[in-house]
Short mmCIF file of all heavy atoms in Angstrom, two decimals:
data_model
loop_
_atom_site.label_atom_id
_atom_site.label_comp_id
_atom_site.label_asym_id
_atom_site.label_seq_id
_atom_site.Cartn_x
_atom_site.Cartn_y
_atom_site.Cartn_z
N SER K 398 51.22 38.01 35.53
CA SER K 398 51.83 38.76 36.63
C SER K 398 52.13 37.78 37.75
O SER K 398 51.24 37.30 38.45
CB SER K 398 50.86 39.84 37.11
OG SER K 398 51.40 40.51 38.21
N ASN K 399 53.41 37.47 37.92
CA ASN K 399 53.81 36.46 38.90
C ASN K 399 54.35 37.05 40.19
O ASN K 399 54.88 36.32 41.04
CB ASN K 399 54.89 35.56 38.28
CG ASN K 399 54.31 34.65 37.22
OD1 ASN K 399 53.39 33.90 37.49
ND2 ASN K 399 54.87 34.73 36.02
N ILE K 400 54.26 38.37 40.34
CA ILE K 400 54.86 39.01 41.52
C ILE K 400 54.25 38.47 42.81
O ILE K 400 54.97 38.08 43.74
CB ILE K 400 54.70 40.54 41.44
CG1 ILE K 400 55.44 41.08 40.21
CG2 ILE K 400 55.22 41.19 42.71
CD1 ILE K 400 55.26 42.55 39.97
N THR K 401 52.91 38.44 42.88
CA THR K 401 52.24 37.95 44.09
C THR K 401 52.58 36.49 44.35
O THR K 401 52.84 36.09 45.49
CB THR K 401 50.71 38.10 43.96
OG1 THR K 401 50.40 39.46 43.68
CG2 THR K 401 50.01 37.67 45.23
N ASP K 402 52.59 35.70 43.27
CA ASP K 402 52.90 34.28 43.42
C ASP K 402 54.34 34.07 43.89
O ASP K 402 54.63 33.15 44.66
CB ASP K 402 52.68 33.55 42.10
CG ASP K 402 51.21 33.52 41.71
OD1 ASP K 402 50.37 33.45 42.63
OD2 ASP K 402 50.91 33.56 40.51
N LYS K 403 55.25 34.93 43.41
CA LYS K 403 56.66 34.82 43.83
C LYS K 403 56.80 35.12 45.33
O LYS K 403 57.56 34.46 46.04
CB LYS K 403 57.52 35.79 43.02
CG LYS K 403 57.85 35.31 41.63
CD LYS K 403 58.77 36.29 40.93
CE LYS K 403 59.15 35.80 39.53
NZ LYS K 403 60.03 36.76 38.83
N ILE K 404 56.05 36.12 45.78
CA ILE K 404 56.10 36.48 47.20
C ILE K 404 55.57 35.33 48.05
O ILE K 404 56.16 34.97 49.08
CB ILE K 404 55.29 37.78 47.46
CG1 ILE K 404 55.97 38.96 46.75
CG2 ILE K 404 55.16 38.03 48.96
CD1 ILE K 404 55.16 40.23 46.78
N ARG K 405 54.45 34.75 47.63
CA ARG K 405 53.89 33.62 48.36
C ARG K 405 54.86 32.45 48.39
O ARG K 405 54.96 31.71 49.39
CB ARG K 405 52.58 33.18 47.72
CG ARG K 405 51.43 34.15 47.94
CD ARG K 405 50.21 33.72 47.16
NE ARG K 405 49.10 34.64 47.35
CZ ARG K 405 48.00 34.65 46.61
NH1 ARG K 405 47.86 33.78 45.62
NH2 ARG K 405 47.04 35.52 46.84
N LEU K 406 55.57 32.27 47.29
CA LEU K 406 56.50 31.15 47.18
C LEU K 406 57.63 31.24 48.20
O LEU K 406 58.15 30.22 48.67
CB LEU K 406 57.08 31.10 45.76
CG LEU K 406 57.91 29.87 45.40
CD1 LEU K 406 57.06 28.60 45.51
CD2 LEU K 406 58.48 30.01 44.00
N LEU K 407 58.00 32.47 48.57
CA LEU K 407 59.07 32.67 49.54
C LEU K 407 58.76 32.03 50.89
O LEU K 407 59.65 31.64 51.64
CB LEU K 407 59.34 34.16 49.73
CG LEU K 407 59.93 34.91 48.51
CD1 LEU K 407 59.99 36.41 48.80
CD2 LEU K 407 61.31 34.37 48.18
N PHE K 408 57.45 31.94 51.20
CA PHE K 408 57.04 31.42 52.50
C PHE K 408 56.68 29.93 52.45
O PHE K 408 56.23 29.36 53.44
CB PHE K 408 55.84 32.21 53.03
CG PHE K 408 56.16 33.67 53.23
CD1 PHE K 408 55.86 34.60 52.24
CD2 PHE K 408 56.77 34.11 54.40
CE1 PHE K 408 56.16 35.95 52.41
CE2 PHE K 408 57.07 35.45 54.58
CZ PHE K 408 56.76 36.38 53.57
N ARG K 409 56.87 29.30 51.29
CA ARG K 409 56.57 27.88 51.16
C ARG K 409 57.81 27.04 51.39
O ARG K 409 58.91 27.40 50.99
CB ARG K 409 56.02 27.57 49.75
CG ARG K 409 54.63 28.12 49.52
CD ARG K 409 54.10 27.64 48.17
NE ARG K 409 52.75 28.09 47.93
CZ ARG K 409 51.65 27.48 48.36
NH1 ARG K 409 51.77 26.36 49.07
NH2 ARG K 409 50.47 27.95 48.09
N LYS K 410 57.61 25.89 52.01
CA LYS K 410 58.72 24.97 52.22
C LYS K 410 58.96 24.12 50.96
O LYS K 410 60.09 23.76 50.66
CB LYS K 410 58.43 24.06 53.41
CG LYS K 410 58.37 24.79 54.75
CD LYS K 410 58.08 23.82 55.88
CE LYS K 410 58.03 24.56 57.22
NZ LYS K 410 57.72 23.65 58.35
N ASP K 411 57.87 23.81 50.24
CA ASP K 411 57.97 22.96 49.05
C ASP K 411 58.07 23.82 47.79
O ASP K 411 57.19 23.82 46.94
CB ASP K 411 56.76 22.03 48.97
CG ASP K 411 55.45 22.79 49.03
OD1 ASP K 411 55.43 23.94 49.51
OD2 ASP K 411 54.43 22.24 48.58
N LYS K 412 59.15 24.55 47.64
CA LYS K 412 59.32 25.46 46.51
C LYS K 412 59.57 24.74 45.19
O LYS K 412 59.15 25.18 44.12
CB LYS K 412 60.48 26.43 46.77
CG LYS K 412 60.27 27.39 47.92
CD LYS K 412 61.45 28.34 48.03
CE LYS K 412 61.26 29.36 49.14
NZ LYS K 412 61.21 28.72 50.47
#
Side-chain angles (χ1 to χ4, degrees):
S398 176
N399 289 303
I400 298 175
T401 304
D402 293 327
K403 281 183 178 179
I404 294 172
R405 288 174 180 167
L406 189 62
L407 293 174
F408 299 95
R409 290 186 177 275
K410 294 180 180 179
D411 54 340
K412 295 183 178 65

